[in-house]
Amino acid sequence: MLRSIPWLLKYQPSINVLVRQEFCSEALRTAKAFSVESVREKWESRFKSENIPEAGSSIVNILAHVLQLQSLDEVRKSRDLILNDSQLSKIDELCQCRLARMPVQYIIREWEFRDITLKMIPPVFIPRPETEELVELILQQIDTQRQLRFLEIGCGSGAIVLSILKHVPLSSAVAVDQSKLACELTLENAQNQGLTDRLRIFKHKLVDGLPEEFSDHKFDMIVSNPPYVPSQQLLELEPEIKIYEDLRALDGGPDGLTIVKAILELAGKHLNPEGVLWLEVDSSHPEKIVAFLDEHGSRIGLKYVCSYKDLFQKERFVELVKF
């Protein structure tokens, strides 16, 4: 047996302290590598290096989803939280989807629209911030305490119709969409919001007019965010759109106005006198709609009121009235 060396015994406590300190420092460095902030920085840098749009908000939304946080601000407040193996694995999985240019809304399967949470599934059209502006504009212009029966053409996930129903308690609505999946998603979102008793949903193509039971029905308001992208521009869209979203919800025909003109014709038939039609369109369309109504307005019975700019200062929303 080796005898203890006196000088080593003298310094052994100090050596043990140094070893413990080094071990703790290494453990701390390892923990920091798996903190919310370090993971956020890692993936934001990765997204930027691969030219993923909105790199910062993409990873923050994914982190909020995985950690089941209620707001993006909570992610920032949780920056020092250490993630476990399960959370790290899920974050990596979802970030790989983002690297494949899948929209964040489809990755986390939900999205906030104004003050409601919508379930999202591909390829149902994802509501944009501009459409939130459209809803806000409508709610500012109408009496939210009166009875209102309205129609939405192209309901998608139900963003517009459900938001209006929620804020106009005496309203009722009919929503139509050519996509069965969109109709099913609108219904599910309506159920989640407790609004199914004031909403009827139909899978129906606009070219066929309205469903037969509404062939003679009049509405106080019609609203639509229709397909308005010119067909030849579809291939120029971002991969997030042209790969994952339903292009039927975007394709507006040669000039982007095919569906818009059909809606104008339908509105002339199905709006009550003084009823209002609200449209979200391409910024080049308002003047073309004016020209169309100069030629056909007296036959249709619609009058152009005005257009409104979106947050990017583009003419995006059009208001028309039935006379």
Side-chain angles (χ1 to χ4, degrees):
M1 178 182 295
L2 291 175
R3 293 184 179 182
S4 299
I5 302 174
W7 65 267
L8 182 61
L9 288 173
K10 180 180 179 181
Y11 293 103
Q12 189 172 1
S14 297
I15 292 172
N16 288 339
V17 169
L18 289 173
V19 170
R20 286 197 297 271
Q21 287 177 339
E22 180 61 28
F23 177 81
C24 291
S25 296
E26 179 62 28
L28 184 59
R29 285 194 294 272
T30 301
K32 285 185 176 179
F34 301 120
S35 70
V36 167
E37 181 63 13
S38 64
V39 170
R40 185 198 66 75
E41 289 179 345
K42 180 189 82 170
W43 278 108
E44 181 173 348
S45 176
R46 176 78 182 278
F47 288 160
K48 287 180 177 178
S49 70
E50 301 203 24
N51 298 316
I52 301 300
E54 301 176 337
S57 62
S58 292
I59 180 56
V60 170
N61 274 290
I62 289 171
L63 285 167
H65 174 71
V66 172
L67 298 175
Q68 298 183 333
L69 300 176
Q70 299 303 309
S71 70
L72 304 187
D73 188 53
E74 288 186 34
V75 175
R76 298 179 181 91
K77 292 179 180 178
S78 305
R79 55 181 292 135
D80 296 325
L81 178 69
I82 304 303
L83 299 165
N84 61 39
D85 290 344
S86 176
Q87 290 168 331
L88 289 167
S89 177
K90 187 64 176 178
I91 290 166
D92 286 351
E93 175 191 336
L94 299 185
C95 286
Q96 290 298 329
C97 293
R98 188 69 189 103
L99 288 174
R101 302 298 290 267
M102 179 180 283
V104 171
Q105 293 90 336
Y106 292 155
I107 293 173
I108 66 176
R109 295 292 174 125
E110 64 180 19
W111 199 245
E112 296 295 320
F113 183 87
R114 300 185 79 251
D115 54 354
I116 60 176
T117 300
L118 298 169
K119 179 179 178 180
M120 299 301 307
I121 55 174
V124 178
F125 186 72
I126 298 168
R128 269 55 173 185
E130 295 91 327
T131 305
E132 294 189 55
E133 291 184 85
L134 172 62
V135 172
E136 187 64 34
L137 186 61
I138 292 171
L139 293 176
Q140 289 173 359
Q141 298 280 356
I142 64 176
D143 180 358
T144 58
Q145 299 306 311
R146 76 177 181 91
Q147 289 189 337
L148 176 75
R149 185 157 177 80
F150 69 98
L151 166 71
E152 184 186 8
I153 298 171
C155 55
S157 63
I160 294 175
V161 68
L162 297 180
S163 191
I164 294 174
L165 284 172
K166 180 174 181 179
H167 289 277
V168 187
L170 297 180
S171 65
S172 60
V174 175
V176 299
D177 200 293
Q178 64 180 335
S179 165
K180 178 182 178 183
L181 193 59
C183 292
E184 292 172 346
L185 184 57
T186 292
L187 176 60
E188 184 172 354
N189 282 325
Q191 291 169 337
N192 292 339
Q193 296 296 322
L195 295 170
T196 53
D197 59 329
R198 293 190 279 134
L199 174 64
R200 299 187 66 186
I201 306 165
F202 295 86
K203 178 187 177 301
H204 196 78
K205 288 186 177 181
L206 188 61
V207 293
D208 300 326
L210 289 182
E212 186 174 351
E213 65 182 283
F214 296 102
S215 59
D216 297 319
H217 195 85
K218 305 290 185 180
F219 296 92
D220 303 309
M221 181 176 75
I222 297 175
V223 59
S224 183
N225 176 15
Y228 58 73
V229 179
S231 301
Q232 67 271 20
Q233 294 181 16
L234 292 175
L235 294 180
E236 301 172 12
L237 297 173
E238 292 291 326
E240 284 86 349
I241 299 174
K242 65 185 180 184
I243 294 175
Y244 293 99
E245 293 195 68
D246 187 351
L247 293 183
R248 294 178 302 171
L250 297 163
D251 189 354
D255 60 356
L257 285 167
T258 299
I259 306 301
V260 171
K261 290 176 181 178
I263 292 173
L264 294 174
E265 297 279 354
L266 183 145
K269 180 180 179 181
H270 290 282
L271 275 175
N272 283 319
E274 303 302 318
V276 180
L277 169 63
W278 289 96
L279 295 172
E280 179 178 334
V281 295
D282 182 80
S283 58
S284 67
H285 286 166
E287 62 181 30
K288 295 178 180 178
I289 292 173
V290 170
F292 179 80
L293 290 178
D294 284 343
E295 184 176 354
H296 303 284
S298 59
R299 173 181 59 81
I300 296 174
L302 279 183
K303 180 175 67 175
Y304 182 91
V305 177
C306 64
S307 64
Y308 302 84
K309 293 181 179 180
D310 64 15
L311 71 168
F312 301 110
Q313 296 304 303
K314 293 183 178 181
E315 298 292 338
R316 182 69 63 193
F317 315 113
V318 175
E319 180 183 7
L320 307 104
V321 65
K322 170 71 175 178
F323 62 82

